[in-house]
Amino acid sequence: MIMTHPGLPLYWAYAIGIMMLLLGLLTMAIKAPTTSASRSISLAKLPLIGDLFRFLAKYTWPLLLLKIIFAALFITVITAGLWGTPIVERNLATTLTWNLWWTGIIIAIVFSGSAWCALCPWDNIASWLVNHSIWRRSSSQSRLQLKVPNMLRSVWPASLLFIGFTWLELGIGIVASPYATAMLALLMLILATTTLALFEGKAFCRYMCPVGRTVGAYSQLAPIALRPIDSEICRNCKTLECFHGSDKIAPCPTKIVMGRLQENTYCTSCGNCTQSCPSSNVSWQLRSPSSEAIKEAKPHMDEAFFLLILLSLTLFHGLTMLDYWEGYLSEMAQLINDSGQLIISFSIGLGVTLILPIFIYCLCIGLTQGLLKKRLGAMVTKLSFNKLFSGFAFISLPLAFSYHIAHNLTHFVRESSDWLSLVTNPLGTGAEPLSMMEKHTRHMEMMVSENTLFIMQGIIIAIGFVIATQVIRHRGHRLFAAQGITLLPMILFAALVTGFNLWMLVQPMTMRM
Ligand code: SF4
Ligand code: SF4
């Protein structure tokens, strides 16, 4: 029997619906300020905690220790997946990967930006294997340092891998197999190691890793980022060690000059620049949340597609956990005579969910372009569809991020595993599957009360819409001189996605494990 979790009470959907209506009208009525500097403060300059952040930037061993702990956890997951019990809820590989890690790294972005990438065991183990060094600049000749081919120099490889992994995860059912989970983790390690051995820099992190690109994209919303402590020092810097590296410390793996860094997307928080900068001028900075998504990040077409694919796949994850999805699968299977694992029916559903939001987004962009042409006439001739498409794509970020967190909170809060027995017996040796009674008890014993969960979910979805309207208002005004009714199509897009997110949260949701 499939157990489900109750959905968000309907009154939350009505309350957020009214808020969307009012905020949509306000967004059209009030112009975005033409000059509004983002506020930020370096954590290294703060009293009390400033010393801690300076310490973390100066010494390598705290980060190295964390890297080793995460690498050890990764090896435990692989061991448990390959040699442990196939019972999904009794094996550390599946519970840690799908229940804790995938939810945890997304929530962690709010508090630590792209810090996960610094701890990522795929990249760290690959670096240790290829560079033969655990921290210092390597003199190893085992890297070919080839130029990354032009066809790979975009985030399309990461987008395609993301779609492929979603197909494997939900279509083939990797989530329900410790062995397949371990094989997928190993495949990523092989990819990271091979690309590191072949290409210069970190081509895997920059262009291919769907997790890294997701963390990078979402960290444009984060209120915390690595930045220069004093930008004047960077302006006068001639040596750029943060970019080139020093005798002992490797260069920036994603070719960033810290003094010119405007967006978090490709910073992996690796800490090389905090070590190599001769002026010790790099530390964590607190800044206005979402400022990059709202105005600072530069639009690029491949990244715009990645953001929209991220939104579509996030919606798809939610959709597959509703009762309707099972109904769709069996009806489609009957229609096309799909038998067995219903892979064709699943793939059609995935394809439609992937394309539909992008198609609706294109329609809204087309409408915006039409309205702008009418309003601005000859001035708008340079305003191509592509410019509008990439400029407004940042609205996908808060919409995807808010649903991603709200949805996963249900799994996290309602499906907390018996971590003590999993830690003491990660392979699940001799363990029995959860009985119906145990499943029911787990379902009832939530980490926070049901009402607290609903309040958190409602607020998160509302914040997602608020940020999306800010993106529309600022980007519309600054990039395209759009205001008033010309912003309506994009506001409708944000409202439609938020409405769909709310509808999914209101439905009962299938328990994952
Ligand atoms: S971070 Fe350091 S090395 Fe990089 S530009 Fe600034 S002062 Fe120069
Ligand atoms: S070296 Fe580059 S990737 Fe690493 S923390 Fe500095 S800017 Fe980010």
Side-chain angles (χ1 to χ4, degrees):
M1 191 180 103
I2 296 175
M3 290 192 71
T4 56
H5 303 302
L8 197 67
L10 214 50
Y11 55 79
W12 269 106
Y14 292 136
I16 296 172
I18 294 168
M19 184 229 37
M20 286 198 293
L21 184 67
L22 295 177
L23 201 62
L25 291 172
L26 274 177
T27 306
M28 286 194 289
I30 302 173
K31 271 192 192 174
T34 38
T35 50
S36 64
S38 302
R39 274 168 296 180
S40 60
I41 179 158
S42 174
L43 290 170
K45 286 183 179 169
L46 291 180
L48 301 176
I49 59 166
D51 287 343
L52 173 69
F53 281 95
R54 271 195 294 274
F55 170 83
L56 289 176
K58 187 171 174 195
Y59 293 100
T60 52
W61 66 263
L63 182 57
L64 185 59
L65 186 66
L66 283 172
K67 286 181 181 191
I68 292 170
I69 292 171
F70 277 85
L73 268 175
F74 177 79
I75 292 165
T76 314
V77 162
I78 300 291
T79 312
L82 295 183
W83 292 287
T85 174
I87 303 167
V88 58
E89 67 274 19
R90 298 295 194 196
N91 192 307
L92 191 75
T94 33
T95 45
L96 191 68
T97 306
W98 304 113
N99 258 11
L100 193 61
W101 170 72
W102 190 222
T103 307
I105 60 167
I106 300 301
I107 294 175
I109 292 169
V110 179
F111 306 102
S112 56
S114 59
W116 161 256
C117 291
L119 308 175
C120 168
W122 294 328
D123 176 50
N124 287 326
I125 297 176
S127 300
W128 295 333
L129 288 174
V130 175
N131 292 332
H132 307 159
S133 159
I134 56 168
W135 180 267
R136 296 200 174 276
R137 188 172 191 149
S138 156
S139 54
S140 159
Q141 300 300 310
S142 52
R143 293 186 66 185
L144 290 178
Q145 305 268 21
L146 301 175
K147 279 224 166 318
V148 180
N150 279 345
M151 60 179 291
L152 289 181
R153 284 176 176 267
S154 70
V155 290
W156 276 110
S159 300
L160 297 176
L161 275 176
F162 201 175
I163 297 169
F165 286 164
T166 305
W167 187 80
L168 287 172
E169 179 195 341
L170 301 170
I172 301 293
I174 282 185
V175 182
S177 164
Y179 185 81
T181 300
M183 291 305 283
L184 181 65
L186 275 178
L187 177 72
M188 292 300 279
L189 178 60
I190 292 168
L191 256 178
T193 312
T194 317
T195 45
L196 193 68
L198 286 177
F199 300 120
E200 60 183 5
K202 292 209 172 163
F204 176 74
C205 306
R206 180 88 167 65
Y207 306 115
M208 293 171 204
C209 177
V211 177
R213 289 305 90 239
T214 302
V215 170
Y218 280 157
S219 64
Q220 294 186 325
L221 301 170
I224 187 162
L226 273 173
R227 288 291 185 276
I229 298 172
D230 182 343
S231 37
E232 198 51 38
I233 296 179
C234 285
R235 252 193 295 280
N236 297 322
C237 175
K238 301 277 182 281
T239 51
L240 303 183
E241 273 101 329
C242 56
F243 177 79
H244 298 293
S246 62
D247 289 349
K248 292 181 180 159
I249 305 296
C252 171
T254 49
K255 302 196 168 176
I256 291 169
V257 176
M258 179 44 80
R260 296 178 205 145
L261 182 57
Q262 290 287 324
E263 39 191 289
N264 263 7
T265 324
Y266 298 108
C267 173
T268 60
S269 301
C270 69
N272 283 4
C273 55
T274 64
Q275 298 298 310
S276 58
C277 173
S279 312
S280 301
N281 193 33
V282 185
S283 184
W284 291 94
Q285 185 185 74
L286 264 188
R287 59 197 187 148
S288 322
S290 312
S291 57
E292 276 180 40
I294 291 172
K295 52 189 176 207
E296 286 151 15
K298 299 260 178 310
H300 300 281
M301 210 53 183
D302 59 328
E303 291 166 6
F305 267 106
F306 181 83
L307 299 185
L308 286 158
I309 289 169
L310 178 61
L311 176 65
S312 295
L313 293 180
T314 306
L315 302 183
F316 182 69
H317 266 84
L319 207 56
T320 57
M321 295 198 178
L322 306 184
D323 279 349
Y324 296 99
W325 179 251
E326 291 301 316
Y328 153 78
L329 275 184
S330 57
E331 277 178 31
M332 179 55 85
Q334 274 180 12
L335 194 71
I336 60 170
N337 212 5
D338 184 17
S339 55
Q341 268 195 302
L342 310 185
I343 288 298
I344 300 174
S345 309
F346 174 89
S347 306
I348 293 172
L350 171 60
V352 171
T353 318
L354 195 58
I355 290 168
L356 197 59
I358 301 177
F359 177 71
I360 296 172
Y361 177 77
C362 287
L363 279 183
C364 293
I365 292 292
L367 274 174
T368 307
Q369 194 180 26
L371 287 170
L372 277 172
K373 271 188 181 157
K374 236 181 170 177
R375 193 171 154 265
L376 300 175
M379 280 168 67
V380 90
T381 45
K382 285 190 191 142
L383 204 52
S384 71
F385 183 91
N386 286 4
K387 265 192 184 167
L388 284 162
F389 184 95
S390 55
F392 277 122
F394 292 91
I395 57 173
S396 316
L397 268 178
L399 300 175
F401 191 58
S402 57
Y403 180 73
H404 205 141
I405 294 192
H407 168 93
N408 276 305
L409 266 181
T410 304
H411 291 302
F412 194 59
V413 165
R414 293 182 185 270
E415 296 172 19
S416 52
S417 302
D418 182 359
W419 291 107
L420 187 64
S421 40
L422 279 165
V423 169
T424 49
N425 183 13
L427 275 66
T429 311
E432 294 289 325
L434 279 181
S435 65
M436 274 321 284
M437 179 58 93
E438 283 173 302
K439 276 192 180 176
H440 188 72
T441 311
R442 182 185 280 193
H443 183 77
M444 300 308 289
E445 284 174 358
M446 295 170 58
M447 286 167 82
V448 295
S449 75
E450 191 165 80
N451 265 339
T452 311
L453 173 66
F454 291 151
I455 290 170
M456 283 158 66
Q457 288 179 311
I459 290 175
I460 289 167
I461 292 291
I463 290 176
F465 184 76
V466 172
I467 298 173
T469 53
Q470 288 288 86
V471 174
I472 295 169
R473 192 164 149 252
H474 282 266
R475 288 194 175 262
H477 189 63
R478 278 161 191 247
L479 299 181
F480 315 119
Q483 50 179 290
I485 196 73
T486 49
L487 298 176
L488 184 62
M490 300 322 298
I491 293 171
L492 286 178
F493 179 78
L496 188 70
V497 174
T498 309
F500 187 69
N501 288 346
L502 274 172
W503 175 80
M504 287 198 289
L505 285 175
V506 165
Q507 310 304 314
M509 192 180 95
T510 309
M511 197 170 172
R512 187 150 57 195
M513 61 182 73

